[in-house]
Every structure is written in structure tokens, then in C-alpha cells.
Amino acid sequence: MRTSRSARRTLISVTAISATLLAGTATSVAAVPTGQTKTAAAEQTTAAASAVAAPAERLIVGYKSGASEAKSNKAAGEDAEAKGKDAGEDLDFQRRLGTGAALVDLGAKLSKAAVADVVAEYQADPQVAYVVPDRLNKPLADPNDTEYSKQWDLFETTAGMRVPGAWDTATGTGVTVAVIDTGYVTHSDLAANIVGGYDFIADTEVSVDGNGRDSNPADPGDWYADGECGQAEGSTSSWHGTHVAGTIAAATNNSKGVAGIAYNAKISPVRVLGKCGGYDSDIIDAITWASGGTVSGVPANTNVAKVINMSLGGGGACTSATQTAINNAVNRGTTVVVAAGNSNANAANYSPASCNNVISVAALSRTGAKASYSNFGSVVDIAAPGGQTSTGTANGILSTLNSGAQGPASESYAYYQGTSMAAPHIAGLAALAKSAKSSLTPAQIESAIKTNSRALPGACSGGCGAGLADAAKTVQAVSGTDGSTGGTTFTSASAVSIPDNGSAVESPIAVTGRTGNAPSALQVGVDITHTYRGDLVVDLIAPDGTSYRLKASGSDSADDVKTTYTVNASSETANGTWKLRVQDVAAQDTGTINSWKLTF
């Protein structure tokens, strides 16, 4: 029975969510060879789904090899005319592609609903194998910044954050990022993106600028002499805040220096670190003010930040005082990004890395493994390039700096390493996401970054969060340009005991209602309590029995495994029973699988 046009639109709006209506047929077709892989079929399904995600001007139609339209241009033209008539649109066969598929013009630019009607007509035809939009591609030219080729952290295949792929969609426009740090020293590669900030250092021995709090966040230098700051040897000025700011929003395509991740975002320098560091009290006020809150004696902020970067920290768990300031900032709509710390230890014992409502960032080397210095653990949310200069200076993170050993001198560029360098990569990505979709909440931004991350190229003993952040995938997901329909989570909350030095135990999750294959960044959230997690081996078992190693056993003596792993499961059918398999392989400790989840 033929449904009315209005009814068909209702059907497509529902079924497009799961892409069921647009699923390609896995048979021999003109444009798809017999025996195509499951991955290829999934890619076709995703591409087809994007036909109703946005208006389109042309469609590519693949017919089954036995159809007359697969060989005859006349037949393909007549078919286009007939389907257009049924859909109430004027379709025109344009030409035959080299693969044998037909290119069909939709005439005047149609609405999403009109495109959906046409797609529905083609997919209702049993002789049609697939229909996908004729997407417009754009050149992906590298920025002309003179030092861009040295910024492996942005573009390299192994451990780069795939930033260039995000720039076609978002560049940070309309977003202010507060860099709560050492302040800002003038740099021509940053100046265009600097807006008003504040100096929150109240103690003049720390501020070393001759006064306490004021509206000038200029960095006078944080050098100290031998024997000062509890250190036997002195140190030159770090210009730390300027280096962090450059990673986030250095001017780009200006034929100079480096490229910033969110290069059209604005940076508000908020100074809290001076000689020997900075106090919690100043940092708490800085968080409050930067996010639009009121601080006694300080003028209202006219450059309220939607993202805060804090590449700073100290020993000890997050205090209630700091947590309150962070909670208030997030409630105002500001995403807070923090460094995990550089002690090669559990980040749970450091602040603000261990605070709730933050995105805590671990650092990776150029090989994609946890950097030797980076903190780790269940409180870490995500990993990003932080550099490892012990393997070569150029394996650090290049950004804006100053050559002054004590006070400011000439502007410069330098390689640094640290979770301080990893955090601004995520702050920049958060700015890109917010720029792409201004309605995103901090929780949605964090979820998007984690869900769209990819598996670590290297090892991370102890946990580095959801994986390596992927800027292109994250921005495409939040802007709707990736053809995806959003994540769906399946959870098992049934507790399973893990015997000491015994056989493996399994916890199942039945996945239903999905179309095609699992994603290349399947999120596996694990909540396991155990008194010595180094004893544990954890695997994800796909419906066909394929095993994916999530965690190997080792010498990690910390408790529990509470983290999210990213698995490339694109070769697996999504529907079916997935299992979390856990085995304790050494004596003296037991535990429990409390819950786990899969997010597609």
C-alpha cells in the first residue's frame, strides 16, 4: 500500500534516527563489489543517513547489478523521473559514474524533509542497493604559520589530535577561554586574541609586580634564586601562561609562528601563579570571577569565559572550598579543564585533578603512550598530547614564549612538556565544540570529547581516561556534520564477584535496536572494585566471540578499575550479546564487577 507524502515524512523522521530505512543492501551492486566488508557497509549506512541530516542537491544511487537501471542511462533517467513524481519533486538523471552508480539531480535546493521523501522512494525500490548524498568536499590546506610543521600534536597520524579536520566546522569564534595561570607576556602571535583579564595574586611576595590584586594580568616573570621556594637550585621565568595560551588560541594563517587549536577564540589571562606558585584562595576567586561570578572588591567580568584552563595543581585531594568554586562555575555554564599532574602517580591524590565537574587531562608522548611524568588513574577523563622531551626536544609541544630569564625580553617560541601542555589541547577542543554548538552544556562537552575519542596508540598503565581526544570527530559529532544519530548507552548493573586467582567471570549486555556495525570508538565504561587491580585482566568480548583487551595484569597496586576504555569495534555487528570478561590472575585479593556500560 502506498502511503501519502505527509505520512512518509513522518515515517522517515522516525526511522532516520536509527538509519534503518537507509541501510544499504549487502548484495552485488553496480557501485559496491560483491563481498564488501562489514566496515564498508557501515560506512555506506552512515553516508546514507547524512542524506536526511542536511539539505542536498544531488544523490548518488547504486542499483543492484541485475537492474536495468544499473546499465541503461535511459532506464535510470526514467526511474528518476518516476520517483520524483511520486515524491512530488523534479528529479533529473545527470550521468553515470565510473562505478556504475547514477548521479541524480534534485533540482532546486530541497529541504531536509523533501530530501527524505526522495530517499524514501529510492530505498523502497528493491532494485536499489543504496542512495547517498553527493557531498561537497573542501580543500584541507595547512595553515601558513611558519612553525606549523613542527606542531605534531595537532596533525600527526599516530598521536596527533586531528585538529585540522575540525577547522572546517569550527575555529572557536564567539568563545572566551580563561587561562588561570602566570598571566600573559606580550606576544605578537597572540595579541589579536587577548582580551581583558585580572591579576588575583594578593600576596606581594608572590606577585613580585609591586602590588596586589589589580586589572593588569601581565606576567613579570616567576624566576627564583637558589634556596628559594624550597628548592636548592633556582629557576628562570617560565612564562607558563603564555605558552598555554598559545596552544589554545595563537593567531593562525598569519604567516608567523604557531597555530592555535581554537584560533578564533579569545584568551582572558587570569593571573594566580607567581614566584613559588599560587594560593588556593586566589585560584578560587579567579575561577569565580572568570565564570561570571562576583568577587568582593573586584570589578565585574566583561569577558566571561565559557571555558577555563587550569594547568596547575598541588598535592592532596580536592578540598570542599575548591570544589564549591568549580561547581558554581560549571553551573554558570563554564567548562573547567585541568591538568592531571606531573608526578607519575595517581591523580586522585592531586588537586584540582581530583575535583569533580572538571575534565582532568593526562599527557601522551609523540608515540601515543602515557608520558613518563604524567599522572594517571580513575579520576583522569581524557588524554592529549603533552610531549616527551627526553626523547628529543622536538617531541615536546611548541608554543609562544619569551626569552627573558627573569623579566620579559624578546618574544620567542619553545618546546615544553607536561600535563600543563596537554590540558590546553582539551580546553581548545572544548572551545571548538562550544563554537560549533553554543547550546552545549559543560557536561555535554565533556561527554562529546570522551565519547568521540580514539584508543590510545600506546600504553597507559593505571588509566588515561577515555582515550586520545579526537578534535575532528568531536566537532563533527556535536555539529551534526558526521551523519551520526547520537550515542545510545546499554548498561549492566548486576554485580558479579571476581574470585581470587580463579577462573574468568563474565557480565553480559544484550544490545538491540542498532543498525550495522559498532563504532570505531566504542566506549566501554567499567566500574570494578578490587583491592589490587594489578591482578586483573579485563577483556571486552564481542557477540561473535572476538576478544578486545582492555587491561592487562601488572604491578599496579592501587585499588579499583573505574574508567572508560575506547575500542575500535567497527568490524563487529552492533546487535548481540557483548560481555565484560574479568580474571584475577594472582593470589590474595578479590573484587566485584559493580557495573559496566557500552556507549555507541
Side-chain angles (χ1 to χ4, degrees):
M1 179 181 71
R2 184 178 295 277
T3 58
S4 69
R5 187 177 181 204
S6 60
R8 289 199 306 276
R9 280 190 177 169
T10 300
L11 288 170
I12 214 128
S13 67
V14 173
T15 56
I17 293 174
S18 64
T20 299
L21 183 61
L22 303 179
T25 305
T27 59
S28 178
V29 298
V32 183
T34 303
Q36 66 174 356
T37 65
K38 291 189 289 184
T39 299
E43 289 172 351
Q44 289 174 6
T45 299
T46 300
S50 66
V52 294
E57 296 180 358
R58 287 176 294 275
L59 295 175
I60 299 172
V61 181
Y63 291 94
K64 294 181 182 180
S65 57
S68 59
E69 294 88 350
K71 303 172 184 177
S72 167
N73 289 351
K74 180 180 178 181
E78 291 174 347
D79 190 47
E81 183 178 353
K83 286 183 170 57
K85 183 177 180 180
D86 286 343
E89 307 295 347
D90 185 16
L91 307 188
D92 182 34
F93 169 78
Q94 292 289 295
R95 67 177 186 273
R96 183 78 56 183
L97 303 187
T99 58
L103 181 64
V104 177
D105 187 80
L106 298 176
K109 194 169 185 179
L110 304 184
S111 67
K112 295 179 184 179
V115 173
D117 282 349
V118 174
V119 170
E121 291 294 337
Y122 274 107
Q123 287 297 328
D125 186 343
Q127 296 303 312
V128 172
Y130 63 83
V131 54
V132 297
D134 184 19
R135 297 183 300 190
L136 180 65
N137 294 269
K138 299 179 181 180
L140 299 176
D142 288 342
N144 62 20
D145 302 73
T146 55
E147 304 300 310
Y148 175 72
S149 63
K150 301 175 183 177
Q151 293 182 273
W152 62 267
D153 46 306
L154 303 191
F155 59 79
E156 278 193 353
T157 302
T158 300
M161 216 171 72
R162 298 181 181 173
V163 175
W167 285 335
D168 188 49
T169 303
T171 57
T173 302
V175 179
T176 296
V177 181
V179 176
I180 298 180
D181 212 293
T182 64
Y184 164 68
V185 61
T186 301
H187 200 293
S188 62
D189 208 8
L190 262 173
N193 287 334
I194 298 295
V195 297
Y198 207 81
D199 180 357
F200 275 92
I201 303 178
D203 189 328
T204 55
E205 290 187 6
V206 176
S207 69
V208 296
D209 61 357
N211 53 47
R213 292 183 171 182
D214 58 40
S215 60
N216 181 9
D219 185 352
D222 57 357
W223 68 277
Y224 56 88
D226 293 352
E228 292 186 312
C229 303
Q231 303 295 317
E233 295 185 7
S235 175
T236 57
S237 291
S238 68
W239 315 112
H240 190 272
T242 301
H243 196 281
V244 167
T247 295
I248 298 170
T252 302
N253 282 317
N254 62 344
S255 300
K256 174 190 293 186
V258 296
I261 291 172
Y263 58 78
N264 279 329
K266 300 301 181 184
I267 296 290
S268 175
V270 184
R271 187 168 181 248
V272 298
L273 302 179
K275 186 174 183 177
C276 304
Y279 289 102
D280 279 357
S281 54
D282 291 340
I283 294 170
I284 287 168
D285 280 351
I287 295 169
T288 302
W289 182 84
S291 60
T294 300
V295 177
S296 178
V298 179
N301 186 3
T302 58
N303 298 295
V304 175
K306 289 304 178 184
V307 180
I308 285 174
N309 185 91
M310 289 195 289
S311 290
L312 51 79
C318 184
T319 66
S320 297
T322 299
Q323 187 65 68
T324 298
I326 290 170
N327 289 347
N328 291 341
V330 171
N331 288 339
R332 295 185 193 103
T334 300
T335 299
V336 181
V337 180
V338 304
N342 300 331
S343 301
N344 188 28
N346 194 325
N349 299 318
Y350 294 82
S351 179
S354 61
C355 295
N356 295 321
N357 273 342
V358 301
I359 304 177
S360 184
V361 188
L364 302 180
S365 69
R366 196 168 182 173
T367 65
K370 184 186 83 66
S372 61
Y373 53 79
S374 178
N375 283 356
F376 52 82
S378 60
V379 301
V380 173
D381 294 297
I382 197 73
Q388 184 84 56
T389 57
S390 62
T391 60
T393 301
N395 292 332
I397 305 300
L398 185 66
S399 189
T400 46
L401 212 70
N402 192 277
S403 64
Q406 294 185 358
S410 59
E411 65 179 41
S412 64
Y413 300 88
Y415 291 97
Y416 274 5
Q417 69 172 22
T419 56
S420 282
M421 285 57 257
H425 282 76
I426 301 302
L429 176 51
L432 291 178
K434 187 71 174 178
S435 176
K437 188 174 182 180
S438 61
S439 63
L440 290 175
T441 66
Q444 289 172 330
I445 290 174
E446 178 177 352
S447 177
I449 291 173
K450 292 164 71 171
T451 299
N452 292 287
S453 64
R454 66 186 194 271
L456 295 186
C460 175
S461 178
C464 285
L468 169 57
D470 187 318
K473 189 174 180 183
T474 300
V475 171
Q476 289 164 4
V478 300
S479 64
T481 58
D482 65 341
S484 67
T485 57
T488 301
T489 299
F490 298 83
T491 303
S492 172
S494 299
V496 178
S497 296
I498 305 169
D500 181 30
N501 195 20
S503 300
V505 295
E506 294 180 341
S507 175
I509 289 179
V511 174
T512 60
R514 303 297 299 173
T515 300
N517 289 7
S520 60
L522 177 65
Q523 302 296 294
V524 187
V526 176
D527 182 349
I528 299 172
T529 53
H530 196 272
T531 50
Y532 192 97
R533 67 183 179 207
D535 291 355
L536 297 181
V537 175
V538 183
D539 295 295
L540 175 69
I541 310 301
D544 66 357
T546 302
S547 177
Y548 295 87
R549 178 59 48 89
L550 304 180
K551 179 191 176 299
S553 60
S555 59
D556 184 359
S557 61
D559 295 343
D560 307 336
V561 181
K562 297 183 179 182
T563 189
T564 300
Y565 299 96
T566 302
V567 173
N568 182 353
S570 57
S571 64
E572 304 293 343
T573 301
N575 286 339
T577 299
W578 298 73
K579 299 175 184 177
L580 187 71
R581 179 181 294 165
V582 182
Q583 183 175 14
D584 184 319
V585 297
Q588 298 182 350
D589 295 273
T590 60
T592 304
I593 303 174
N594 300 308
S595 65
W596 71 289
K597 61 184 179 181
L598 292 170
T599 301
F600 288 79

